[in-house]
């Protein structure tokens, strides 16, 4: 009996260990690649994003073949990550958005040529789906799902929406987890703009990122996630969960993404950390600067292993290939993550320089770096050398480093030395380093000292890295976004949609209903005549406010125009806006409201789902804010102009003809101005501007969703133009 118990004990231990391991990622399923030929403790990968290969723009694939293949052969990365929008999925006029198989054939042939020319194994390529790759795809595996036919991931039979691979070098693990959060129903654009993770995907993502947490050896693990959508364009799951919370819990080194392109700016980066106190309500909707609050200092002097780790991560959006021709090389050196972006718009590169330590204090420094600084003061560490990876087509002759002090007001060289190559019998990349007295650069300013690496090859070609500030103290230099960068990175659009929607509706109904109540209750008190009578006794601000209120009261008195505007606003709240084909032309006709497109569920024919929330905001908010609201304001101004002209006309009609010759020149010009009704003409020009904006939106919808305006959206398309014509007619006569 005792012998049987001893035999069963190992079995029980194995069962317990299996139960403790993540269910979706067993030990046997974890893919581990032993990195060879690289400097100890160093791995590097290449990232590309937003290729947008298109039959209408063959130069994108041509330049990709011309530049990317040789660059990858020179860099020889451990992984190549392509983070979405592999094809464009648009017509030549950019209005019809659906899959084009010719684009995918071009992508497949281009990638095949790149793999052959770079001599890299196909298995290191990971190409994720972007929103452009899901335009008009009813479901995964459908006939229109060309990603499932032509992508590298599909050809390598990588199943599921979460993929992971671990690179191991010198006892360190580097975990890369990619995930596809495109919507399950691939709506056609423009209402396919956001990432739509599900509860199931978030659980799988969390399990993939924690797959090494239960290991007994507890080797250091650096975690990198990559996907297409930035967090500002990622919706919450059906139960309200956020990808950001998973990344904070796992304390990622970085999240790599694309989607936004460099036309919005070059500083599309954002730092997150879990605040000790509860986040304010505003933080759920926006973040004003790149760094979220101040760095956490609670563990700054606690060097024990029991010290709680800081929950933090960087989000790095990279430039697109579509216009910017960008490629990113990212390296992990002893746990420190750095990157450099290469711009091929000016031609190929024969030398690529990537400083790996010290880090750029603007875009790469983490709050935990302050604790690293405190805990390494007493002993040797990775702080002891300045390091850089150098990739070159030709033999390298010299590599030097310069450190500048910016305190004098100009950059003054305080450190200039030749770097030495790390000797290795077999290497894929050249690591150069130089010992330095890093304590001499201890400073309270995170941007006092600046680093630059200069490289010369055997042909005499010289290249320098971009100047970057650093802080051995682990302090972060603050960088402010431009307004465009804040617009796309700082605002949580998925969270802001409903508040913005109901603010717009509240404003519209207030502008219509409140003046009507004032007109009924106070009758003749809010008129142009009263405003002129008491205007001289009021301040400028009070006069402007009074004139604004009187304008909308006058609109309320044009009862038919006012009633039509009110009915249209009610229509937008309760009635479908338009009917169309949001997925494919041969699919069933369905309708859209401000709640999204109404589609049949995948499992049951009776189930109805709202797809495209908050993606429909690109139709809803522009129509409310740039069409309906301006229309109300312009028509109110027209009604006020009519009332003012009536008073002017009546005042003239009671005067003698000879009085005209007794007036001053200024009075005559004033009278001619009113007689010409120039304000009204200017308002008519504004009407044309609003109608032009409305026409552009309607034209885009007709092309995008294969619809007939007369049959599928007559109210949305024609109500505003007809109402403007009618209002101009009604307010013309006095």
């Amino acid at each position: 009996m005792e012998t049987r118990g001893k035999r069963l004990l190992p079995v029980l231990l194995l069962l317990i260990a299996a139960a403790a391991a993540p269910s979706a990622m067993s030990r046997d399923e974890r893919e581990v690649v032993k990195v060879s030929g690289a400097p100890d403790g160093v791995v590097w990968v290449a990232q590309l994003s937003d290729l947008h290969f298109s039959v209408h723009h063959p130069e994108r694939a041509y330049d990709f073949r011309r530049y990317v293949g040789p660059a990858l052969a020179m860099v020889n990365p451990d992984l190549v990550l392509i983070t979405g929008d592999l094809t464009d999925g648009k017509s030549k006029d950019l209005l019809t958005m659906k899959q084009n198989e010719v684009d995918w054939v071009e992508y497949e042939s281009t990638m095949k040529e790149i793999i052959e020319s770079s001599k890299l194994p196909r298995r290191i390529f990971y190409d994720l789906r972007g929103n452009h790759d899901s335009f008009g795809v009813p479901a995964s595996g459908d006939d229109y799902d060309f990603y499932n036919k032509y992508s590298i991931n599909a050809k390598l039979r990588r199943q599921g929406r979460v993929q992971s691979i671990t690179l191991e070098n010198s006892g360190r693990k580097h975990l890369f987890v990619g995930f596809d959060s495109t919507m399950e129903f691939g709506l056609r654009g423009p209402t396919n703009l956001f990432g739509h993770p599900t509860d199931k995907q978030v659980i799988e993502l969390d399990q993939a990122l924690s797959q090494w947490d239960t290991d007994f050896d507890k080797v250091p693990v650096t975690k990198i996630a990559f996907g297409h959508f930035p967090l500002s364009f990622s919706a919450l799951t059906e139960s309200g969960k956020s990808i950001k919370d998973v990344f904070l819990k796992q304390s990622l080194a970085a999240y790599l993404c694309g989607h936004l392109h460099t036309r919005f700016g070059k500083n599309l980066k954002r730092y997150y950390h879990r605040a000790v106190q509860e986040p304010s309500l505003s933080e759920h909707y926006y973040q004003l600067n790149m760094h979220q609050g101040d760095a956490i200092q609670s563990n700054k002097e606690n060097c024990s292993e029991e010290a709680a780790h800081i929950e933090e991560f960087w989000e790095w959006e990279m430039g697109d290939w579509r216009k910017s021709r960008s490629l990113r090389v990212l390296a992990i050196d002893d746990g420190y993550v750095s990157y450099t972006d290469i711009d091929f718009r000016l031609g190929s590169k024969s030398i690529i320089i990537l400083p790996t330590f010290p880090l750029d204090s603007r875009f790469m420094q983490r709050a935990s770096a302050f604790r690293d600084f405190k805990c390494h003061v007493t002993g040797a560490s990775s702080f002891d050398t300045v390091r850089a990876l150098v990739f070159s087509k030709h033999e390298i002759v010299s590599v030097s480093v310069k450190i500048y002090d910016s305190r004098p007001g100009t950059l003054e060289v305080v450190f200039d030395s030749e770097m030495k190559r790390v000797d290795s019998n077999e290497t894929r990349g050249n690591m150069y380093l130089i010992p330095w007295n890093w304590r001499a650069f201890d400073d309270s300013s995170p941007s006092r000292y600046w680093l630059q690496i200069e490289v010369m090859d055997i042909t005499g070609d010289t290249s320098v890295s971009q100047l970057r500030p650093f802080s051995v103290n682990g302090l972060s230099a603050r960088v402010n976004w431009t307004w465009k960068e804040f617009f796309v990175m700082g605002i949580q659009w998925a969270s802001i949609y409903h508040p913005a929607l109901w603010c717009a509706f509240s404003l519209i109904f207030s502008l219509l209903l409140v003046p009507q109540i004032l007109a009924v209750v106070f009758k003749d008190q809010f008129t142009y005549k009263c405003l002129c009578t008491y205007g001289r006794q009021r301040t400028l601000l009070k006069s402007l406010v009074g004139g604004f209120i009187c304008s909308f009261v006058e609109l309320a008195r044009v009862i038919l125009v006012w009633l039509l505007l009110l009915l249209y606003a009610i229509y937008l709240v309760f009635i479908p806006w338009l009917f169309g084909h949001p997925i494919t032309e041969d699919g069933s006709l369905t309708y859209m409201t401000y709640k999204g497109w109404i589609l049949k569920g995948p499992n049951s024919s009776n189930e109805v789902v709202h797809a495209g929330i908050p993606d429909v905001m690109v139709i809803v908010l522009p129509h409310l804010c740039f069409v309906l609201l301006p229309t109300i304001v312009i028509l109110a101004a027209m009604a006020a102009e009519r009332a003012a002209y009536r008073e002017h006309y009546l005042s003239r009609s009671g005067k003698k003809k000879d009085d005209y010759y007794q007036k001053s020149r200024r009075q005559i010009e004033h009278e001619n101005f009113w007689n010409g009704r120039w304000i009204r003409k200017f308002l008519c020009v504004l009407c044309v501007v609003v109608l032009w904006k409305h026409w552009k939106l309607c034209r885009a919808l007709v092309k995008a969703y294969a619809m007939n305006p007369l049959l599928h959206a007559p109210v949305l398309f024609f109500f505003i133009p007809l109402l403007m014509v009618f209002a101009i007619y009604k307010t013309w006569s006095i």
Side-chain angles (χ1 to χ4, degrees), residues 465-498:
S465 65
Q466 187 178 15
L467 271 169
R468 57 171 65 183
F470 67 89
S471 171
V472 296
N473 304 56
L475 303 175
S476 296
R478 294 294 187 259
V479 178
N480 294 324
W481 283 318
T482 64
W483 72 267
K484 288 198 297 185
E485 291 166 347
F486 165 73
F487 188 76
V488 295
M489 285 295 287
I491 299 177
Q492 295 297 129
W493 286 105
S495 300
I496 212 80
Y497 172 55
H498 282 100

Side-chain angles (χ1 to χ4, degrees), residues 187 190-192 194 497 592-597 611-622:
L187 298 178
T191 55
N192 186 342
F194 285 75
Y497 172 55
M592 190 206 85
T593 70
Y594 71 87
K595 297 179 181 179
W597 289 94
I613 288 291
D615 308 73
V616 293
M617 69 188 297
V618 299
I619 297 174
V620 174
L621 293 184

Side-chain angles (χ1 to χ4, degrees), residues 295-334:
I296 298 175
Q297 302 293 335
S298 58
N299 295 323
K300 62 183 180 181
E301 295 181 356
N302 188 350
C303 297
S304 65
E305 295 183 1
E306 291 77 15
H309 74 287
I310 298 175
E311 296 183 346
E312 60 179 343
F313 71 94
W314 269 101
E315 178 183 15
W316 293 328
E317 202 272 355
M318 77 158 293
D320 58 289
W321 181 262
R322 177 177 177 265
K323 287 284 183 70
S324 302
R325 301 295 192 265
S326 295
L327 179 144
R328 173 172 291 171
V329 180
L330 178 142
I332 308 175
D333 178 4
D334 199 24

Side-chain angles (χ1 to χ4, degrees), residues 181-318:
S181 60
T182 54
M183 57 175 60
E184 294 184 359
F185 296 95
L187 298 178
R188 294 163 68 169
T191 55
N192 186 342
L193 186 63
F194 285 75
H196 292 263
T198 63
D199 285 331
K200 178 183 177 184
Q201 291 171 15
V202 168
I203 292 173
E204 291 178 355
L205 180 62
D206 187 28
Q207 292 173 340
L209 287 169
S210 61
Q211 61 183 274
W212 298 107
D213 293 354
T214 57
D215 272 26
F216 297 110
D217 51 4
K218 291 294 181 184
V219 298
V221 180
T222 302
K223 301 176 182 179
I224 303 282
F226 59 98
H228 179 64
F229 299 96
L231 298 187
S232 56
F233 280 82
S234 294
L236 301 178
T237 67
E238 54 267 37
S239 64
K241 295 179 181 177
S242 170
I243 294 176
K244 180 185 77 172
D245 294 330
V246 176
F247 290 166
L248 284 170
K249 172 189 171 186
Q250 298 293 337
S251 195
L252 291 186
Y255 168 52
L256 314 178
C257 60
H259 188 56
L260 294 180
H261 302 199
T262 51
R263 70 173 179 267
F264 293 106
K266 295 185 177 181
N267 292 328
L268 300 180
K269 306 163 185 69
R270 184 170 172 177
Y271 171 74
Y272 299 82
H273 79 266
R274 182 90 70 185
V276 177
Q277 67 277 9
E278 283 295 320
S280 62
L281 182 62
S282 62
E283 291 183 17
H284 294 289
Y285 300 108
Y286 65 88
Q287 177 178 315
L288 290 175
N289 292 308
M290 188 180 298
H291 292 80
Q292 185 181 47
D294 297 323
I296 298 175
Q297 302 293 335
S298 58
N299 295 323
K300 62 183 180 181
E301 295 181 356
N302 188 350
C303 297
S304 65
E305 295 183 1
E306 291 77 15
H309 74 287
I310 298 175
E311 296 183 346
E312 60 179 343
F313 71 94
W314 269 101
E315 178 183 15
W316 293 328
E317 202 272 355
M318 77 158 293

